[in-house]
Amino acid sequence: MLLGIDVLCHSSIRIDKKLIIYIDPYKIENEPHDADVIFCTHNHTDHFSEEDILKVKKDNTIFVGTEDLLINLMKIGFIEEFIKIVQPGKTYDVLGINFETVLAYNIDKQYHPKENNWVGYILEINDVHYYIAGDTDLTPETKQVTCDVAFVPVGGRYTMNAKEAASLINTIEPQIAIPIHYGDIIGTKEDAELFKKLVKEDIEVVLYL
């Protein structure tokens, strides 16, 4: 299930499974211009990095994201034909990839307001469901997710911390859990290790960063 998947930095994920998919590309080291699809969870610059989007974008790249990204996308060269605007709690298809959006927001802080309608994604690829939570707290919506592989933030302050993320994983019980959103702007390797320690033993935890 993890073949062709890499966490590049922070919350930046690359998936190579027939199509090349990036989620929240950030601090991309070179300019591969190889993205078939780019998914972005929200407009903060560590998730919607125009510089890094342009490094992976090619002429026919499809961009998937929330409505507040539209104007800036068009400013950097995307045309509407190649932009799919999404709302939380919906199902979509792009280039044969079925995916669902999950509302991502803070409960006790104001960095990611619920009313912004920012999202996480559940991508269905080769009959495997990959959940990329985005910047979210432990919410009723996240507890309803069904997936095989879950990428969850553990850095705290702006998102769930390691303890809260482990609680989510122990609730939704994917086969594999991968901590993200640490090691750069916020959070440390120790947060990821604590997360791994707190997750149920029968759930595999994989550390990329």
Side-chain angles (χ1 to χ4, degrees), residues 12-65:
S12 178
I13 299 165
R14 184 180 187 271
I15 300 175
D16 181 357
K17 290 183 180 288
K18 295 185 179 179
L19 296 177
I20 304 296
I21 300 167
Y22 287 86
I23 299 98
D24 292 346
Y26 181 63
K27 292 193 175 180
I28 303 297
E29 294 183 354
N30 47 27
E31 297 188 22
H33 298 293
D34 60 349
D36 294 301
V37 188
I38 300 171
F39 289 86
C40 276
T41 58
H42 64 292
N43 70 10
H44 290 166
T45 55
D46 56 324
H47 297 264
F48 180 71
S49 167
E50 295 181 5
E51 175 186 357
D52 293 295
I53 288 168
L54 291 174
K55 286 181 180 180
V56 302
K57 177 186 181 294
K58 57 184 181 180
D59 290 343
N60 61 345
T61 299
I62 305 290
F63 184 94
V64 180

Short mmCIF file of all heavy atoms in Angstrom, two decimals, residues 12-65:
data_model
loop_
_atom_site.label_atom_id
_atom_site.label_comp_id
_atom_site.label_asym_id
_atom_site.label_seq_id
_atom_site.Cartn_x
_atom_site.Cartn_y
_atom_site.Cartn_z
N SER A 12 3.87 17.59 2.91
CA SER A 12 3.96 17.41 1.46
C SER A 12 4.12 15.93 1.12
O SER A 12 5.05 15.28 1.59
CB SER A 12 5.16 18.21 0.92
OG SER A 12 5.30 18.03 -0.47
N ILE A 13 3.20 15.42 0.31
CA ILE A 13 3.15 14.00 -0.01
C ILE A 13 3.18 13.82 -1.52
O ILE A 13 2.53 14.57 -2.25
CB ILE A 13 1.88 13.35 0.56
CG1 ILE A 13 1.85 13.49 2.09
CG2 ILE A 13 1.78 11.88 0.17
CD1 ILE A 13 0.49 13.21 2.71
N ARG A 14 3.93 12.83 -2.00
CA ARG A 14 3.96 12.48 -3.42
C ARG A 14 3.53 11.02 -3.56
O ARG A 14 4.04 10.15 -2.86
CB ARG A 14 5.35 12.67 -4.01
CG ARG A 14 5.44 12.41 -5.51
CD ARG A 14 6.88 12.64 -6.00
NE ARG A 14 6.98 12.56 -7.45
CZ ARG A 14 7.22 11.44 -8.14
NH1 ARG A 14 7.34 10.27 -7.49
NH2 ARG A 14 7.31 11.45 -9.46
N ILE A 15 2.60 10.77 -4.46
CA ILE A 15 2.11 9.43 -4.74
C ILE A 15 2.36 9.12 -6.20
O ILE A 15 1.94 9.87 -7.09
CB ILE A 15 0.60 9.31 -4.42
CG1 ILE A 15 0.35 9.62 -2.94
CG2 ILE A 15 0.09 7.93 -4.78
CD1 ILE A 15 -1.13 9.64 -2.57
N ASP A 16 3.04 8.02 -6.46
CA ASP A 16 3.33 7.59 -7.83
C ASP A 16 2.69 6.22 -8.02
O ASP A 16 3.28 5.19 -7.71
CB ASP A 16 4.85 7.53 -8.04
CG ASP A 16 5.23 7.09 -9.45
OD1 ASP A 16 4.33 6.78 -10.25
OD2 ASP A 16 6.44 7.06 -9.76
N LYS A 17 1.47 6.23 -8.51
CA LYS A 17 0.73 4.99 -8.79
C LYS A 17 -0.02 5.19 -10.10
O LYS A 17 -1.18 5.58 -10.10
CB LYS A 17 -0.22 4.65 -7.65
CG LYS A 17 0.50 4.21 -6.36
CD LYS A 17 -0.50 3.81 -5.30
CE LYS A 17 0.20 3.36 -4.02
NZ LYS A 17 0.86 2.05 -4.17
N LYS A 18 0.66 4.96 -11.21
CA LYS A 18 0.17 5.23 -12.57
C LYS A 18 0.11 6.73 -12.83
O LYS A 18 0.69 7.24 -13.78
CB LYS A 18 -1.16 4.56 -12.84
CG LYS A 18 -1.09 3.04 -12.83
CD LYS A 18 -2.42 2.41 -13.23
CE LYS A 18 -2.32 0.90 -13.24
NZ LYS A 18 -3.61 0.25 -13.59
N LEU A 19 -0.63 7.46 -11.98
CA LEU A 19 -0.60 8.91 -12.02
C LEU A 19 0.35 9.44 -10.95
O LEU A 19 0.55 8.80 -9.92
CB LEU A 19 -2.01 9.48 -11.79
CG LEU A 19 -3.08 9.15 -12.82
CD1 LEU A 19 -4.42 9.74 -12.37
CD2 LEU A 19 -2.71 9.66 -14.20
N ILE A 20 0.92 10.62 -11.20
CA ILE A 20 1.74 11.29 -10.21
C ILE A 20 0.86 12.31 -9.49
O ILE A 20 0.32 13.23 -10.10
CB ILE A 20 2.95 12.01 -10.84
CG1 ILE A 20 3.80 11.03 -11.66
CG2 ILE A 20 3.79 12.69 -9.75
CD1 ILE A 20 4.45 9.94 -10.85
N ILE A 21 0.73 12.13 -8.19
CA ILE A 21 -0.14 12.97 -7.37
C ILE A 21 0.70 13.65 -6.29
O ILE A 21 1.52 13.00 -5.64
CB ILE A 21 -1.23 12.12 -6.70
CG1 ILE A 21 -2.10 11.43 -7.76
CG2 ILE A 21 -2.09 12.97 -5.76
CD1 ILE A 21 -2.98 10.34 -7.20
N TYR A 22 0.49 14.94 -6.12
CA TYR A 22 1.08 15.68 -5.00
C TYR A 22 -0.04 16.19 -4.10
O TYR A 22 -1.08 16.64 -4.61
CB TYR A 22 1.90 16.87 -5.47
CG TYR A 22 3.22 16.54 -6.12
CD1 TYR A 22 3.28 16.23 -7.47
CD2 TYR A 22 4.41 16.53 -5.39
CE1 TYR A 22 4.50 15.93 -8.09
CE2 TYR A 22 5.63 16.23 -5.99
CZ TYR A 22 5.66 15.93 -7.34
OH TYR A 22 6.87 15.63 -7.94
N ILE A 23 0.19 16.12 -2.80
CA ILE A 23 -0.70 16.77 -1.84
C ILE A 23 0.10 17.82 -1.10
O ILE A 23 1.16 17.53 -0.54
CB ILE A 23 -1.32 15.76 -0.84
CG1 ILE A 23 -2.15 14.70 -1.57
CG2 ILE A 23 -2.20 16.49 0.17
CD1 ILE A 23 -1.43 13.41 -1.82
N ASP A 24 -0.36 19.05 -1.16
CA ASP A 24 0.28 20.18 -0.48
C ASP A 24 1.79 20.24 -0.76
O ASP A 24 2.60 20.23 0.18
CB ASP A 24 0.03 20.11 1.02
CG ASP A 24 -1.43 20.36 1.39
OD1 ASP A 24 -2.18 20.84 0.53
OD2 ASP A 24 -1.81 20.07 2.54
N PRO A 25 2.20 20.31 -2.03
CA PRO A 25 3.65 20.34 -2.32
C PRO A 25 4.34 21.52 -1.64
O PRO A 25 3.85 22.66 -1.70
CB PRO A 25 3.70 20.46 -3.85
CG PRO A 25 2.35 20.99 -4.25
CD PRO A 25 1.39 20.46 -3.24
N TYR A 26 5.48 21.24 -1.01
CA TYR A 26 6.15 22.24 -0.17
C TYR A 26 7.64 21.92 -0.09
O TYR A 26 8.01 20.77 0.13
CB TYR A 26 5.51 22.24 1.22
CG TYR A 26 6.07 23.23 2.19
CD1 TYR A 26 5.97 24.60 1.97
CD2 TYR A 26 6.69 22.81 3.36
CE1 TYR A 26 6.48 25.52 2.88
CE2 TYR A 26 7.20 23.71 4.29
CZ TYR A 26 7.08 25.07 4.05
OH TYR A 26 7.58 25.97 4.96
N LYS A 27 8.45 22.93 -0.30
CA LYS A 27 9.90 22.79 -0.27
C LYS A 27 10.38 21.67 -1.19
O LYS A 27 11.20 20.82 -0.82
CB LYS A 27 10.41 22.59 1.16
CG LYS A 27 10.20 23.84 2.02
CD LYS A 27 10.97 23.78 3.33
CE LYS A 27 10.84 25.10 4.08
NZ LYS A 27 11.56 25.11 5.37
N ILE A 28 9.87 21.68 -2.42
CA ILE A 28 10.30 20.73 -3.44
C ILE A 28 11.72 21.09 -3.86
O ILE A 28 12.00 22.24 -4.19
CB ILE A 28 9.35 20.77 -4.66
CG1 ILE A 28 7.90 20.48 -4.22
CG2 ILE A 28 9.80 19.79 -5.73
CD1 ILE A 28 7.67 19.12 -3.64
N GLU A 29 12.61 20.11 -3.86
CA GLU A 29 14.03 20.40 -4.04
C GLU A 29 14.41 20.69 -5.49
O GLU A 29 15.35 21.44 -5.75
CB GLU A 29 14.87 19.24 -3.50
CG GLU A 29 14.75 19.08 -1.98
CD GLU A 29 15.65 17.97 -1.46
OE1 GLU A 29 16.25 17.26 -2.30
OE2 GLU A 29 15.74 17.81 -0.23
N ASN A 30 13.71 20.09 -6.45
CA ASN A 30 14.05 20.32 -7.85
C ASN A 30 12.80 20.79 -8.58
O ASN A 30 11.85 21.26 -7.97
CB ASN A 30 14.65 19.05 -8.48
CG ASN A 30 13.82 17.82 -8.15
OD1 ASN A 30 12.62 17.91 -7.91
ND2 ASN A 30 14.46 16.67 -8.14
N GLU A 31 12.78 20.68 -9.90
CA GLU A 31 11.62 21.11 -10.68
C GLU A 31 11.19 19.98 -11.61
O GLU A 31 11.44 20.01 -12.81
CB GLU A 31 11.95 22.37 -11.47
CG GLU A 31 12.27 23.57 -10.59
CD GLU A 31 12.40 24.86 -11.37
OE1 GLU A 31 11.83 24.94 -12.49
OE2 GLU A 31 13.04 25.79 -10.87
N PRO A 32 10.52 18.95 -11.08
CA PRO A 32 10.19 17.78 -11.88
C PRO A 32 9.09 18.00 -12.92
O PRO A 32 9.04 17.29 -13.92
CB PRO A 32 9.74 16.76 -10.84
CG PRO A 32 9.25 17.58 -9.69
CD PRO A 32 10.14 18.79 -9.67
N HIS A 33 8.22 18.97 -12.69
CA HIS A 33 7.10 19.24 -13.61
C HIS A 33 6.43 17.93 -14.04
O HIS A 33 6.23 17.67 -15.23
CB HIS A 33 7.59 20.02 -14.83
CG HIS A 33 8.16 21.36 -14.50
ND1 HIS A 33 7.38 22.40 -14.01
CD2 HIS A 33 9.43 21.83 -14.56
CE1 HIS A 33 8.16 23.46 -13.80
NE2 HIS A 33 9.40 23.15 -14.12
N ASP A 34 6.06 17.13 -13.06
CA ASP A 34 5.55 15.79 -13.35
C ASP A 34 4.16 15.52 -12.77
O ASP A 34 3.65 14.41 -12.88
CB ASP A 34 6.53 14.73 -12.83
CG ASP A 34 6.77 14.81 -11.32
OD1 ASP A 34 6.34 15.81 -10.70
OD2 ASP A 34 7.40 13.88 -10.77
N ALA A 35 3.52 16.51 -12.18
CA ALA A 35 2.26 16.29 -11.49
C ALA A 35 1.11 16.10 -12.47
O ALA A 35 0.86 16.96 -13.32
CB ALA A 35 1.95 17.46 -10.56
N ASP A 36 0.41 14.98 -12.34
CA ASP A 36 -0.87 14.83 -13.05
C ASP A 36 -1.98 15.52 -12.28
O ASP A 36 -2.87 16.14 -12.88
CB ASP A 36 -1.19 13.34 -13.23
CG ASP A 36 -0.21 12.65 -14.16
OD1 ASP A 36 -0.10 13.07 -15.32
OD2 ASP A 36 0.45 11.69 -13.71
N VAL A 37 -1.94 15.40 -10.96
CA VAL A 37 -2.93 16.05 -10.09
C VAL A 37 -2.22 16.63 -8.88
O VAL A 37 -1.34 15.99 -8.29
CB VAL A 37 -4.01 15.06 -9.62
CG1 VAL A 37 -5.14 15.82 -8.89
CG2 VAL A 37 -4.58 14.25 -10.75
N ILE A 38 -2.62 17.84 -8.49
CA ILE A 38 -2.17 18.45 -7.24
C ILE A 38 -3.39 18.68 -6.36
O ILE A 38 -4.35 19.34 -6.78
CB ILE A 38 -1.47 19.80 -7.47
CG1 ILE A 38 -0.23 19.64 -8.36
CG2 ILE A 38 -1.08 20.44 -6.13
CD1 ILE A 38 0.37 20.95 -8.80
N PHE A 39 -3.38 18.11 -5.16
CA PHE A 39 -4.43 18.36 -4.18
C PHE A 39 -3.88 19.34 -3.14
O PHE A 39 -2.78 19.14 -2.62
CB PHE A 39 -4.83 17.08 -3.46
CG PHE A 39 -5.58 16.09 -4.30
CD1 PHE A 39 -4.92 15.17 -5.10
CD2 PHE A 39 -6.97 16.06 -4.28
CE1 PHE A 39 -5.61 14.23 -5.87
CE2 PHE A 39 -7.68 15.13 -5.03
CZ PHE A 39 -7.00 14.23 -5.84
N CYS A 40 -4.65 20.37 -2.82
CA CYS A 40 -4.28 21.25 -1.71
C CYS A 40 -5.40 21.30 -0.70
O CYS A 40 -6.58 21.34 -1.06
CB CYS A 40 -3.96 22.66 -2.21
SG CYS A 40 -2.26 22.85 -2.80
N THR A 41 -5.04 21.30 0.57
CA THR A 41 -6.03 21.24 1.64
C THR A 41 -6.56 22.61 2.04
O THR A 41 -7.72 22.73 2.42
CB THR A 41 -5.44 20.55 2.87
OG1 THR A 41 -4.26 21.27 3.30
CG2 THR A 41 -5.06 19.10 2.56
N HIS A 42 -5.70 23.66 1.95
CA HIS A 42 -6.13 25.01 2.33
C HIS A 42 -5.06 26.01 1.92
O HIS A 42 -4.02 25.64 1.37
CB HIS A 42 -6.44 25.10 3.82
CG HIS A 42 -5.27 24.86 4.72
ND1 HIS A 42 -4.65 23.64 4.84
CD2 HIS A 42 -4.61 25.69 5.57
CE1 HIS A 42 -3.66 23.73 5.73
NE2 HIS A 42 -3.62 24.97 6.17
N ASN A 43 -5.31 27.29 2.20
CA ASN A 43 -4.49 28.34 1.58
C ASN A 43 -3.29 28.80 2.39
O ASN A 43 -2.61 29.74 1.96
CB ASN A 43 -5.37 29.55 1.22
CG ASN A 43 -5.87 30.33 2.43
OD1 ASN A 43 -5.45 30.11 3.57
ND2 ASN A 43 -6.80 31.26 2.19
N HIS A 44 -2.97 28.21 3.50
CA HIS A 44 -1.76 28.60 4.22
C HIS A 44 -0.53 28.24 3.39
O HIS A 44 -0.50 27.20 2.72
CB HIS A 44 -1.70 27.93 5.60
CG HIS A 44 -2.72 28.48 6.55
ND1 HIS A 44 -3.05 27.87 7.73
CD2 HIS A 44 -3.51 29.60 6.48
CE1 HIS A 44 -3.99 28.58 8.36
NE2 HIS A 44 -4.27 29.62 7.62
N THR A 45 0.50 29.07 3.46
CA THR A 45 1.61 28.95 2.51
C THR A 45 2.43 27.68 2.67
O THR A 45 3.17 27.30 1.75
CB THR A 45 2.55 30.17 2.63
OG1 THR A 45 2.98 30.31 4.00
CG2 THR A 45 1.83 31.43 2.20
N ASP A 46 2.32 26.99 3.80
CA ASP A 46 3.01 25.71 3.93
C ASP A 46 2.20 24.56 3.33
O ASP A 46 2.65 23.41 3.32
CB ASP A 46 3.36 25.41 5.39
CG ASP A 46 2.16 25.44 6.33
OD1 ASP A 46 1.26 26.28 6.10
OD2 ASP A 46 2.10 24.65 7.28
N HIS A 47 1.04 24.88 2.78
CA HIS A 47 0.20 23.90 2.10
C HIS A 47 -0.13 24.34 0.67
O HIS A 47 -0.19 23.51 -0.23
CB HIS A 47 -1.09 23.66 2.88
CG HIS A 47 -0.85 23.09 4.24
ND1 HIS A 47 -0.92 21.73 4.51
CD2 HIS A 47 -0.50 23.69 5.41
CE1 HIS A 47 -0.63 21.52 5.79
NE2 HIS A 47 -0.37 22.70 6.35
N PHE A 48 -0.35 25.64 0.50
CA PHE A 48 -0.54 26.21 -0.82
C PHE A 48 0.65 27.11 -1.12
O PHE A 48 0.62 28.32 -0.95
CB PHE A 48 -1.86 27.00 -0.88
CG PHE A 48 -2.12 27.62 -2.22
CD1 PHE A 48 -2.46 26.82 -3.31
CD2 PHE A 48 -2.05 28.99 -2.41
CE1 PHE A 48 -2.71 27.39 -4.55
CE2 PHE A 48 -2.30 29.56 -3.64
CZ PHE A 48 -2.62 28.76 -4.72
N SER A 49 1.75 26.48 -1.54
CA SER A 49 2.99 27.19 -1.87
C SER A 49 3.05 27.38 -3.38
O SER A 49 3.28 26.43 -4.13
CB SER A 49 4.20 26.39 -1.39
OG SER A 49 5.39 26.91 -1.95
N GLU A 50 2.82 28.60 -3.84
CA GLU A 50 2.79 28.86 -5.28
C GLU A 50 4.12 28.47 -5.93
O GLU A 50 4.14 27.89 -7.02
CB GLU A 50 2.48 30.33 -5.53
CG GLU A 50 1.09 30.73 -5.07
CD GLU A 50 0.78 32.19 -5.34
OE1 GLU A 50 1.61 32.87 -5.99
OE2 GLU A 50 -0.30 32.65 -4.92
N GLU A 51 5.22 28.77 -5.26
CA GLU A 51 6.55 28.42 -5.79
C GLU A 51 6.67 26.92 -6.03
O GLU A 51 7.17 26.48 -7.08
CB GLU A 51 7.63 28.88 -4.80
CG GLU A 51 9.03 28.48 -5.18
CD GLU A 51 10.05 28.83 -4.11
OE1 GLU A 51 9.67 29.44 -3.10
OE2 GLU A 51 11.23 28.48 -4.30
N ASP A 52 6.22 26.14 -5.09
CA ASP A 52 6.37 24.69 -5.21
C ASP A 52 5.34 24.08 -6.15
O ASP A 52 5.62 23.09 -6.83
CB ASP A 52 6.30 24.05 -3.82
CG ASP A 52 7.50 24.44 -2.97
OD1 ASP A 52 8.62 24.04 -3.33
OD2 ASP A 52 7.31 25.17 -1.99
N ILE A 53 4.16 24.66 -6.20
CA ILE A 53 3.18 24.21 -7.18
C ILE A 53 3.73 24.38 -8.59
O ILE A 53 3.60 23.48 -9.44
CB ILE A 53 1.86 24.99 -7.00
CG1 ILE A 53 1.16 24.52 -5.72
CG2 ILE A 53 0.94 24.82 -8.21
CD1 ILE A 53 0.01 25.41 -5.28
N LEU A 54 4.38 25.49 -8.85
CA LEU A 54 4.94 25.73 -10.18
C LEU A 54 6.11 24.79 -10.49
O LEU A 54 6.38 24.49 -11.65
CB LEU A 54 5.38 27.19 -10.31
CG LEU A 54 4.23 28.20 -10.34
CD1 LEU A 54 4.77 29.62 -10.33
CD2 LEU A 54 3.34 27.97 -11.57
N LYS A 55 6.78 24.29 -9.46
CA LYS A 55 7.88 23.34 -9.68
C LYS A 55 7.37 21.97 -10.14
O LYS A 55 8.07 21.27 -10.88
CB LYS A 55 8.69 23.16 -8.39
CG LYS A 55 9.59 24.33 -8.04
CD LYS A 55 10.36 24.04 -6.76
CE LYS A 55 11.27 25.19 -6.38
NZ LYS A 55 12.02 24.90 -5.13
N VAL A 56 6.18 21.59 -9.71
CA VAL A 56 5.67 20.27 -10.07
C VAL A 56 4.62 20.32 -11.18
O VAL A 56 4.33 19.32 -11.82
CB VAL A 56 5.09 19.54 -8.83
CG1 VAL A 56 6.16 19.39 -7.76
CG2 VAL A 56 3.86 20.23 -8.28
N LYS A 57 4.06 21.49 -11.44
CA LYS A 57 3.02 21.66 -12.46
C LYS A 57 3.58 21.41 -13.86
O LYS A 57 4.69 21.80 -14.18
CB LYS A 57 2.46 23.08 -12.38
CG LYS A 57 1.41 23.41 -13.44
CD LYS A 57 1.03 24.89 -13.36
CE LYS A 57 -0.04 25.26 -14.37
NZ LYS A 57 0.45 25.14 -15.76
N LYS A 58 2.77 20.76 -14.69
CA LYS A 58 3.05 20.69 -16.13
C LYS A 58 1.85 21.27 -16.87
O LYS A 58 0.91 21.78 -16.25
CB LYS A 58 3.34 19.24 -16.55
CG LYS A 58 2.26 18.23 -16.24
CD LYS A 58 2.70 16.81 -16.60
CE LYS A 58 1.60 15.80 -16.31
NZ LYS A 58 2.01 14.41 -16.67
N ASP A 59 1.87 21.23 -18.18
CA ASP A 59 0.86 21.95 -18.96
C ASP A 59 -0.57 21.48 -18.67
O ASP A 59 -1.51 22.28 -18.70
CB ASP A 59 1.14 21.83 -20.46
CG ASP A 59 2.37 22.62 -20.89
OD1 ASP A 59 2.79 23.51 -20.11
OD2 ASP A 59 2.89 22.37 -21.98
N ASN A 60 -0.75 20.18 -18.41
CA ASN A 60 -2.10 19.65 -18.23
C ASN A 60 -2.39 19.17 -16.81
O ASN A 60 -3.26 18.34 -16.59
CB ASN A 60 -2.37 18.52 -19.23
CG ASN A 60 -1.41 17.34 -19.05
OD1 ASN A 60 -0.39 17.46 -18.38
ND2 ASN A 60 -1.75 16.21 -19.65
N THR A 61 -1.64 19.68 -15.84
CA THR A 61 -1.87 19.31 -14.44
C THR A 61 -3.25 19.77 -13.98
O THR A 61 -3.64 20.92 -14.21
CB THR A 61 -0.80 19.94 -13.53
OG1 THR A 61 0.49 19.46 -13.90
CG2 THR A 61 -1.05 19.61 -12.07
N ILE A 62 -3.98 18.87 -13.31
CA ILE A 62 -5.25 19.22 -12.68
C ILE A 62 -4.98 19.65 -11.24
O ILE A 62 -4.27 18.97 -10.51
CB ILE A 62 -6.22 18.02 -12.68
CG1 ILE A 62 -6.43 17.48 -14.09
CG2 ILE A 62 -7.55 18.41 -12.02
CD1 ILE A 62 -7.20 18.38 -15.00
N PHE A 63 -5.57 20.78 -10.86
CA PHE A 63 -5.44 21.25 -9.48
C PHE A 63 -6.78 21.05 -8.77
O PHE A 63 -7.83 21.44 -9.28
CB PHE A 63 -5.05 22.72 -9.43
CG PHE A 63 -4.81 23.23 -8.04
CD1 PHE A 63 -3.55 23.25 -7.50
CD2 PHE A 63 -5.88 23.67 -7.26
CE1 PHE A 63 -3.32 23.71 -6.21
CE2 PHE A 63 -5.68 24.11 -5.97
CZ PHE A 63 -4.40 24.14 -5.44
N VAL A 64 -6.72 20.45 -7.58
CA VAL A 64 -7.91 20.23 -6.76
C VAL A 64 -7.75 21.01 -5.47
O VAL A 64 -6.76 20.85 -4.76
CB VAL A 64 -8.10 18.73 -6.45
CG1 VAL A 64 -9.35 18.52 -5.59
CG2 VAL A 64 -8.20 17.92 -7.74
N GLY A 65 -8.74 21.85 -5.17
CA GLY A 65 -8.65 22.64 -3.94
C GLY A 65 -9.92 23.41 -3.66
O GLY A 65 -10.91 23.29 -4.39
#
